[in-house]
Amino acid sequence: MILLAALTLMGAVYIANASWLAPEYEGEARLMAHRGIHQLYDRVGIDKDTCTANRMRPPKNPYIENTLPSIAASFWAGADILEIDIHPTTDNEFVVFHDWTIDCRTEGSGVTREQSLAYLKSLDVGYGYTADGGKTFPFRGKGKGMMPSLAEVLKAFPEQRFLINFKSRWIHEADLLRAYLDRHGIAIDDKIMVYGHDKPVMRWKSINPSGFAFSKAEMKTCTLDYMKVGWSTKTPGSCANSVIGVPINYRVLVWGWPNRFLERMRQSNTTVILLGSIENENGAPGITDPDDLDAVPASFNGLIWTDAVEDVGPAWAKKSGELKSGA
């Protein structure tokens, strides 16, 4: 009797989550380039304070992340949205740069936000990159003066979409960013999206309620909650009007993947972000292998997060064309 009840329950869960029983909508996926075209690095054993420039893999492209040439090349390669990192400066500006400090990538020293824009723009952002333990520095001298202000980036690419990453937990950074954009005459529309820590993101949402914004904690909470209760056909409240992350190598473990799951996310207005493979404790990076795109279903209407848009972009252009044509 117990075995029969268990089998009946398993059958009911299977039917409730069967993808083939759900409608297959036509998707409209967008490619989001994390860091744009940049130098890939060894992720094993890294943490938030690890200098990634000195563990660079042998370079396959001439670009340095968060610079105007890299940004232009990223959109050319097929990015629909580009993720960039920002820091406020001591002279009421915002600079586009990844690291909390300037010690790793430049010849300077100190916390990024404790410097003036003029000083930051005098640095060589390619100074610290090495793929052979410091024997050679292939980008040294090539990044002098290439750290841009946020206004420079947004005005250079007025028709493109950006995901702006708050690098701090400071709640008032949202207000600073809003005032900065207003001061520079940059419209806050659907081309400006933000993410980062809960505090500045929640504040940004309160002053820009119609914009797209999410925190890393929001995405993690929704993802874990759905994995706990999705079997029951329920979409947790934490996912409503939020974001969920799906590592591509764990997609088949997501309840209802793909069609039933995507239908539930549409109904709860949840943006699905397809991530790269989780390989270690450092979480899921963006997709870097174009072959992974074969796993993207025709019904997918979310964001494809990539760390190698120079490879994934052209492959996705071909793949999406095939999906639309039904090839």
Side-chain angles (χ1 to χ4, degrees):
M1 182 67 72
I2 294 177
L3 177 60
L4 178 61
L7 290 174
T8 300
L9 177 60
M10 289 172 62
V13 170
Y14 170 75
I15 293 297
N17 290 282
S19 175
W20 56 275
L21 291 176
E24 183 176 353
Y25 298 96
E26 183 176 340
E28 191 65 41
R30 291 166 294 168
L31 195 62
M32 179 176 286
H34 177 230
R35 295 193 178 194
I37 300 181
H38 65 287
Q39 301 306 313
L40 296 179
Y41 51 88
D42 182 5
R43 293 178 57 88
V44 176
I46 66 171
D47 58 32
K48 64 183 180 64
D49 296 318
T50 300
C51 176
T52 58
N54 63 20
R55 52 168 58 207
M56 176 184 72
R57 294 175 182 171
K60 294 182 178 180
N61 67 72
Y63 298 106
I64 301 171
E65 66 189 62
N66 283 315
T67 62
L68 294 178
S70 168
I71 293 169
S74 301
F75 285 123
W76 181 260
D80 296 300
I81 305 166
L82 182 67
E83 184 267 354
I84 57 176
D85 309 287
I86 63 168
H87 303 264
T89 64
T90 57
D91 47 357
N92 206 27
E93 287 284 338
F94 271 92
V95 72
V96 178
F97 186 67
H98 180 271
D99 294 356
W100 184 258
T101 70
I102 54 178
D103 302 62
C104 170
R105 301 181 195 281
T106 80
E107 72 275 33
S109 179
V111 176
T112 305
R113 64 188 53 226
E114 293 177 0
Q115 319 301 323
S116 70
L117 179 62
Y119 173 67
L120 292 171
K121 290 179 73 66
S122 74
L123 299 173
D124 176 6
V125 294
Y127 188 86
Y129 286 86
T130 180
D132 52 16
K135 295 178 182 177
T136 60
F137 292 86
F139 293 99
R140 185 166 290 184
K142 298 179 180 179
K144 195 74 171 178
M146 291 182 64
M147 192 187 302
S149 70
L150 178 59
E152 284 181 273
V153 170
L154 298 181
K155 289 182 178 181
F157 304 94
E159 301 303 317
Q160 304 294 351
R161 306 183 73 183
F162 289 90
L163 178 67
I164 297 173
N165 182 12
F166 287 126
K167 299 296 289 186
S168 82
R169 301 181 178 188
W170 187 33
I171 188 171
H172 295 298
E173 196 161 320
D175 297 274
L176 281 182
L177 178 60
R178 175 59 189 263
Y180 176 84
L181 296 176
D182 289 343
R183 188 168 72 251
H184 284 277
I186 297 170
I188 303 174
D189 52 24
D190 63 353
K191 297 183 184 68
I192 303 291
M193 299 168 278
V194 304
Y195 89 117
H197 190 271
D198 260 347
K199 290 182 178 179
V201 168
M202 293 303 107
R203 175 57 184 166
W204 179 264
K205 284 185 174 184
S206 72
I207 58 180
N208 299 284
S210 62
F212 180 76
F214 68 96
S215 71
K216 297 173 184 177
E218 274 186 278
M219 181 166 68
K220 182 177 180 180
T221 298
C222 169
T223 302
L224 293 178
D225 286 352
Y226 182 78
M227 294 305 294
K228 293 174 184 176
V229 305
W231 62 272
S232 68
T233 76
K234 179 182 179 182
T235 302
S238 60
C239 291
N241 303 307
S242 189
V243 173
I244 189 169
V246 179
I248 199 163
N249 59 331
Y250 285 159
R251 67 191 184 281
V252 295
L253 301 180
V254 174
W255 297 107
W257 178 268
N259 296 335
R260 182 70 72 191
F261 166 73
L262 293 174
E263 179 186 32
R264 291 169 183 165
M265 296 305 104
R266 284 186 180 93
Q267 292 175 352
S268 63
N269 193 33
T270 307
T271 299
V272 182
I273 300 182
L274 193 59
L275 303 165
S277 297
I278 291 181
E279 299 173 348
N280 51 52
E281 70 278 7
N282 297 308
I287 291 172
T288 58
D289 186 351
D291 289 342
D292 283 342
L293 297 175
D294 291 339
V296 180
S299 56
F300 187 70
N301 65 334
L303 302 176
I304 301 171
W305 188 281
T306 177
D307 275 339
V309 69
E310 66 273 26
D311 297 324
V312 174
W316 175 244
K318 180 181 179 181
K319 171 74 173 179
S320 60
E322 293 172 351
L323 291 175
K324 291 177 182 177
S325 66

